[in-house]
């Protein structure tokens, strides 16, 4: 079972920041927080991941609380192409570890 | 260049048939996976292979048999197809031994009639 809880859906105006929350209160010390998204019926796409420090890349920023029990994915300037289901996943250190997907958050970016 | 490719993209077949789905990655990754996404959109791991060896089999019926002829390929053969096998199957790959992201293929939509 997924170890994360996310709101089922969110709306965001185009050009505004989209802030997607995730709760992972049972996360272990060596587990990372990963974010993936699935646009329509395409294959899931990796966005970002982190352990305890905030992370930023060209797609998004990841803010992890100090107690690591929750995190927020930030898309700084959402576009219509960011409409997708966003999955927050807690996963162990090993690169062999399969991802356990929950239900995710369906983000709708509105013009 | 496509990183992870799957063939075919669509597969329609009748119950009882045997079919295969092929997956290839050109990323030089060590680990490959098969995931299944059912009609309710839940994505679930089926198999994981590392360097051609099976490392995870998540209680998948033995009608499903993955085959990895080399590190770059992981094929999925399904015997005696059932209606409940209808789903989208995604192949993925990653480097091994660390916190590396997984790259997914475009999916194969299997419809069993």
């Amino acid at each position: 079972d997924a170890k994360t809880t996310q709101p089922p859906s969110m709306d965001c105006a185009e050009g505004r920041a989209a802030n997607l929350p995730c709760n992972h209160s049972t996360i272990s010390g060596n587990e990372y927080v990963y974010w993936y998204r699935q646009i329509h019926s395409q294959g899931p796409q990796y966005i970002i991941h982190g352990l305890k420090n905030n992370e930023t890349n060209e797609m998004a920023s990841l803010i992890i609380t100090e107690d690591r029990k929750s995190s927020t994915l930030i898309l700084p300037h959402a576009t219509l192409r960011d409409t997708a289901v966003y999955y927050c996943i807690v996963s162990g250190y090993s690169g062999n570890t399969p991802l356990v997907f929950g239900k995710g958050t369906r983000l709708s970016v509105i013009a | 260049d496509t990183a992870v490719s799957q063939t075919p993209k669509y597969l329609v077949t009748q119950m009882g048939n045997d079919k295969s789905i092929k997956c290839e990655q050109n990323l030089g990754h060590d680990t490959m996976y098969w995931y299944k996404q059912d009609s309710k959109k839940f994505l679930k791991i089926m198999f994981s292979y590392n360097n051609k060896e099976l490392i995870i089999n998540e209680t998948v019926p033995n009608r499903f048999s993955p085959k990895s002829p080399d590190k770059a390929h992981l094929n999925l053969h399904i015997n005696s197809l059932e209606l409940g096998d209808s789903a989208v199957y995604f192949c993925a790959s990653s480097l091994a031994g660390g916190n590396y992201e997984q790259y997914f293929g475009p999916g194969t939509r299997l419809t069993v009639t």
Side-chain angles (χ1 to χ4, degrees), chain A residues 4-83:
Chain A
T4 60
T5 304
Q6 299 176 252
S9 63
M10 293 180 64
D11 291 339
C12 177
E14 189 178 21
R16 305 297 289 265
N19 296 286
L20 292 90
C22 179
N23 288 322
H24 32 79
S25 58
T26 60
I27 191 170
S28 301
N30 63 350
E31 289 182 315
Y32 285 72
V33 179
Y34 288 79
W35 283 84
Y36 284 75
R37 71 181 182 183
Q38 187 173 25
I39 297 173
H40 193 45
S41 296
Q42 299 176 20
Q45 177 190 22
Y46 166 80
I47 301 173
I48 198 168
H49 73 280
L51 182 62
K52 54 183 178 181
N53 296 323
N54 297 338
E55 302 287 345
T56 296
N57 62 21
E58 65 278 3
M59 288 182 70
S61 295
L62 174 60
I63 309 298
I64 303 175
T65 58
E66 194 168 341
D67 63 8
R68 302 209 323 124
K69 292 185 177 181
S70 65
S71 60
T72 301
L73 177 74
I74 301 172
L75 306 179
H77 305 287
T79 70
L80 298 177
R81 288 177 295 180
D82 293 321
T83 293

Side-chain angles (χ1 to χ4, degrees), chain B residues 44-57:
Chain B
K44 192 172 181 182
I45 183 70
M46 299 175 68
F47 299 102
S48 173
Y49 266 72
N50 186 45
N51 279 322
K52 303 192 299 175
E53 291 191 16
L54 178 67
I55 55 175
I56 290 175
N57 178 345

Side-chain angles (χ1 to χ4, degrees), chain A residues 32 36 38 49 93 95-96 99, chain B residues 31 33 35 37 98-99 102:
Chain A
Y32 285 72
Y36 284 75
Q38 187 173 25
H49 73 280
Y93 180 78
N96 298 331
L99 301 171
Chain B
T31 305
Y33 313 80
Y35 290 83
Q37 187 167 38
N99 54 319
Q102 295 184 17

Side-chain angles (χ1 to χ4, degrees), chain B:
Chain B
D1 285 344
T2 303
V4 182
S5 60
Q6 296 180 226
T7 53
K9 188 168 176 62
Y10 299 96
L11 185 54
V12 181
T13 188
Q14 292 184 328
M15 286 175 55
N17 286 348
D18 303 338
K19 291 294 179 185
S20 292
I21 305 172
K22 295 185 177 181
C23 177
E24 177 181 2
Q25 54 95 2
N26 61 5
L27 299 167
H29 287 167
D30 308 292
T31 305
M32 296 185 72
Y33 313 80
W34 277 110
Y35 290 83
K36 178 181 179 181
Q37 187 167 38
D38 61 24
S39 57
K40 295 183 178 179
K41 301 296 186 184
F42 290 118
L43 263 164
K44 192 172 181 182
I45 183 70
M46 299 175 68
F47 299 102
S48 173
Y49 266 72
N50 186 45
N51 279 322
K52 303 192 299 175
E53 291 191 16
L54 178 67
I55 55 175
I56 290 175
N57 178 345
E58 288 288 328
T59 60
V60 176
N62 57 15
R63 298 182 294 105
F64 291 78
S65 53
K67 292 282 192 313
S68 183
D70 55 58
K71 269 181 28 172
H73 296 84
L74 181 61
N75 304 322
L76 184 64
H77 188 76
I78 315 170
N79 290 326
S80 304
L81 278 155
E82 301 178 356
L83 292 176
D85 298 331
S86 294
V88 182
Y89 293 83
F90 290 101
C91 177
S93 72
S94 71
L95 291 171
N99 54 319
Y100 300 108
E101 63 268 30
Q102 295 184 17
Y103 292 80
F104 285 78
T108 295
R109 182 175 295 276
L110 171 65
T111 303
V112 182
T113 61

